[in-house]
Amino acid sequence: MRIGFFDSGIGGISVLNEAIKHFPTEDFLYYADKRNVPYGTKTKDEVNKHLQNAVEDILKEEVKALVIACNSATSISINELRAIYNIPIIEMESAAKPAIKLSSSMDKRVLVFATDLTLKELKYRKLITMLDKHSIVDSLPLPELVELCENLNFNWDELSTYFRAKLERFDLNQYGTIVLGCTHFPYYKPILKELLPSHIQLIDGSKGTIERLSILLKEKSLLSNNGTNNISFQCSSGDKKYIIKMENALNILQNGLNTLKRKYLK
Ligand code: DGL
């Protein structure tokens, strides 16, 4: 049986990409709620409703576990989903913990990029209150970046102007790590690496999430050894063009910085 991945759009493909590397003998179903993306600017009730509809759709297919590859949906709905559905549901890790550890060791601060919704939610605030003993964590909502990503916009000039304006009020020398707390953001790692001071490390939650998935599949004896990394892309709107966009998005992530630069950035 396949492993299911959910996101509002193409963001969760950054998590799927990590899973592909980790599980060479598994197959995957990736589902995007294209009809309702973005989630990060919606209300809690709206996200809960859309997510449950999407999960119902996904469960019409056979999946043995479901990764909610979306930080916004994780912060709003993970407990409700686990209470309703009887399959292993893996939440998106926030990456705040390793970032705080690393920044502390450098005597520097942490900056968290995420959607408005994630940053406002109790789940995130509770986690930061618990972990941020020395008040070194700051946050910055970047909702526009979800839209840029959904449009596969990798225009160098546009993006560098955008990031420079957003980061203007921060003294970046004070920061040791930036958390990419939305699964749409890792697409912009190559650009951020060029724009930010070189000592800043970019951390996202995909590795931690896939490690957690791996532990869970092992515990439940659900690992496959006869899959071939087959990926089936689906979306709530059934839009064929969007399926092609999802395949392109995976290519962009897998082709790395050089191809990205040649094709999209300059
Ligand atoms: N990729 C998502 C996240 O991790 C959702 C972004 C959105 O739909 O606004 O938060």
Side-chain angles (χ1 to χ4, degrees):
M1 254 202 270
R2 296 178 287 186
I3 303 170
F5 279 76
F6 165 85
D7 183 39
S8 56
I10 61 170
I13 297 174
S14 62
V15 191
L16 170 69
N17 190 32
E18 199 56 45
I20 294 168
K21 289 186 243 165
H22 196 100
F23 299 112
T25 56
E26 296 286 349
D27 296 324
F28 306 99
L29 167 72
Y30 183 91
Y31 183 100
D33 190 5
K34 148 86 171 98
R35 207 186 294 137
N36 299 303
V37 65
Y39 276 17
T41 50
K42 294 196 165 51
T43 65
K44 213 170 153 158
D45 284 350
E46 286 170 331
V47 170
N48 255 322
K49 191 180 83 198
H50 296 322
L51 182 59
Q52 277 184 34
N53 288 337
V55 173
E56 296 286 339
D57 251 10
I58 296 169
L59 295 183
K60 285 179 195 149
E61 310 283 329
E62 287 206 320
V63 294
K64 60 185 172 186
L66 178 60
V67 179
I68 303 299
C70 173
N71 298 78
S72 308
T74 291
S75 40
I76 301 286
S77 311
I78 201 75
N79 295 335
E80 283 87 341
L81 290 182
R82 287 192 177 129
I84 302 171
Y85 302 104
N86 200 16
I87 58 160
I89 296 186
I90 293 86
E91 67 184 74
M92 198 56 216
E93 297 280 323
S94 94
K97 197 173 177 179
I100 291 173
K101 198 169 163 208
L102 188 59
S103 271
S104 302
S105 73
M106 299 156 86
D107 207 14
K108 301 233 180 244
R109 304 184 65 78
V110 177
L111 184 57
V112 179
F113 293 168
T115 64
D116 286 296
L117 198 64
T118 299
L119 296 174
K120 273 195 292 206
E121 261 316 292
L122 191 63
K123 187 170 168 62
Y124 172 78
R125 287 189 286 119
K126 262 181 157 169
L127 182 76
I128 297 302
T129 309
M130 188 178 79
L131 298 174
D132 188 16
K133 300 282 179 246
H134 303 287
S135 300
I136 60 165
V137 179
D138 301 311
S139 61
L140 178 65
L142 294 177
E144 306 83 1
L145 203 52
V146 174
E147 205 184 315
L148 289 164
C149 183
E150 282 297 313
N151 292 328
L152 290 186
N153 186 335
F154 296 101
N155 181 286
W156 177 261
D157 290 337
E158 209 176 308
L159 286 157
S160 52
T161 306
Y162 171 75
F163 281 121
R164 286 206 173 95
K166 288 285 178 180
L167 293 168
E168 204 175 15
R169 66 189 165 94
F170 296 94
D171 172 6
L172 292 173
N173 288 322
Q174 284 189 34
Y175 292 88
T177 52
I178 289 184
V179 174
L180 304 178
C182 167
T183 55
H184 279 78
F185 298 171
Y187 288 89
Y188 295 105
K189 268 186 190 173
I191 298 166
L192 284 164
K193 276 187 191 150
E194 287 206 17
L195 287 176
L196 295 167
S198 58
H199 72 272
I200 295 186
Q201 310 258 345
L202 300 171
I203 305 189
D204 66 73
S206 48
K207 268 210 170 68
T209 304
I210 297 309
E211 272 159 26
R212 181 80 205 106
L213 169 67
S214 179
I215 292 168
L216 225 119
L217 292 178
K218 238 178 245 155
E219 268 172 16
K220 299 192 178 291
S221 306
L222 285 172
L223 284 167
S224 304
N225 53 18
N226 56 358
T228 55
N229 263 190
N230 185 284
I231 305 159
S232 156
F233 286 104
Q234 292 187 14
C235 66
S236 53
S237 63
D239 178 350
K240 290 213 173 61
K241 276 197 198 135
Y242 198 76
I243 306 280
I244 294 168
K245 182 180 273 192
M246 291 195 275
E247 290 165 357
N248 285 339
L250 181 60
N251 274 334
I252 289 167
L253 287 166
Q254 293 183 332
N255 283 337
L257 179 61
N258 289 335
T259 315
L260 260 183
K261 266 188 170 163
R262 212 174 43 245
K263 272 175 81 176
Y264 302 97
L265 301 181
K266 285 178 178 163

